[in-house]
Amino acid sequence: MIRSKLVPERFCDLNLAIGDSFSMESLSNNKRYPVKLIGLVESGSLIVSAPKIQGKEFFLPEGQILKVRLIAGKYACGFQTQVICSRRLPYLYSHLSYPSTFEAVAIRQANRVRLNLRAEISEYQTGTLHGDWPRKGLIMDVSSGGAKIHCHNPLAAAGSKLSICFTIEVDGVRKKVTIQAIVRNISELRDGYQYGVQFVDVTDEERVYISGFVYEQMLGRSE
């Protein structure tokens, strides 16, 4: 279990809010569904909205075992739960067993996750760098503050400003993100070049989304 002194020991201390999004994974078919928290009773149950497939709600069978991942404030959390009961009136919803144990990590800018994520890299301002753009690269690791990018051919000198576009998935939702970045360091490798970049002028929404992706990956690999 991932735990530190900075992470609450009790699930209730995560201070979940009504409307928070959960990502649920069925152990029977490994499919993941986003739901929202619509109520909770401490040590009793979590009440969640019905998941959807292609916009259509479906019924969670009683007794089904689920893995849940969520972002609660400055924490990323994961736990296992069971469907206690599901109801159709006045709308579709389910009661999930209240987690007796959970895994959590405190969200910090320095936390990174290793990846092999395709990226399209462009000049931040057209005509400021030499060569043809955009170019292809692989994001090898990422945090909310920056990334490590591998390219077969040279990109730009240290201090250059780039625009990096990549697609990530959080809570089952895929989103294309375009981030401004500055090249901070360069390493020459046998099969190309490695660039350490720092994200700049990142909006709060973009930072939260990237952080959510990073910690969802971390929790998934800790299980």
Side-chain angles (χ1 to χ4, degrees):
M1 178 180 298
I2 302 175
R3 187 75 67 179
S4 76
K5 294 181 180 179
L6 298 177
V7 176
E9 292 292 329
R10 300 184 304 166
F11 186 78
C12 63
D13 292 333
L14 291 171
N15 296 320
L16 298 182
I18 303 302
D20 281 351
S21 295
F22 290 4
S23 175
M24 302 195 311
E25 179 180 347
S26 169
L27 298 187
S28 60
N29 57 21
N30 295 322
K31 290 185 177 180
R32 300 179 67 183
Y33 312 104
V35 299
K36 289 188 179 295
L37 180 69
I38 59 177
L40 74 152
V41 176
E42 186 176 346
S43 300
S45 68
L46 306 177
I47 308 171
V48 299
S49 63
K52 297 180 180 180
I53 295 181
Q54 296 180 343
K56 186 176 181 179
E57 294 181 334
F58 65 92
F59 200 75
L60 286 176
E62 296 181 5
Q64 184 176 30
I65 305 297
L66 301 166
K67 286 183 179 179
V68 177
R69 298 184 181 92
L70 60 99
I71 303 297
K74 59 182 179 180
Y75 306 107
C77 176
F79 59 89
Q80 186 168 293
T81 185
Q82 185 174 21
V83 180
I84 299 174
C85 65
S86 296
R87 296 290 183 265
R88 297 186 182 277
L89 295 175
Y91 45 80
L92 274 177
Y93 66 94
S94 297
H95 284 264
L96 308 180
S97 60
Y98 195 88
S100 57
T101 61
F102 63 97
E103 296 179 338
V105 288
I107 295 176
R108 302 181 183 88
Q109 180 171 313
N111 286 125
R112 288 179 176 265
V113 61
R114 294 189 178 278
L115 302 166
N116 195 11
L117 190 65
R118 295 182 184 275
E120 184 176 88
I121 304 146
S122 305
E123 302 170 282
Y124 172 62
Q125 289 185 319
T126 302
T128 56
L129 299 175
H130 297 293
D132 296 325
W133 301 87
R135 301 179 186 178
K136 304 296 183 182
L138 289 176
I139 296 178
M140 307 307 295
D141 72 36
V142 67
S143 74
S144 61
K148 186 182 296 180
I149 300 175
H150 178 272
C151 296
H152 291 297
N153 298 306
L155 276 180
S160 300
K161 198 169 184 180
L162 303 171
S163 178
I164 303 172
C165 181
F166 53 97
T167 300
I168 54 179
E169 182 176 313
V170 180
D171 285 340
V173 178
R174 291 175 61 83
K175 181 176 181 179
K176 181 177 287 188
V177 179
T178 301
I179 299 291
Q180 298 173 33
I182 294 177
V183 177
R184 291 304 186 193
N185 56 75
I186 306 168
S187 300
E188 187 170 354
L189 309 175
R190 290 183 178 180
D191 60 344
Y193 299 83
Q194 182 172 280
Y195 291 82
V197 301
Q198 177 188 359
F199 297 151
V200 295
D201 300 328
V202 183
T203 67
D204 289 341
E205 180 182 359
E206 290 169 338
R207 194 176 301 280
V208 167
Y209 206 85
I210 295 172
S211 294
F213 171 74
V214 169
Y215 294 101
E216 189 172 277
Q217 297 293 309
M218 291 176 65
L219 286 168
R221 295 176 188 188
S222 71
E223 296 171 348

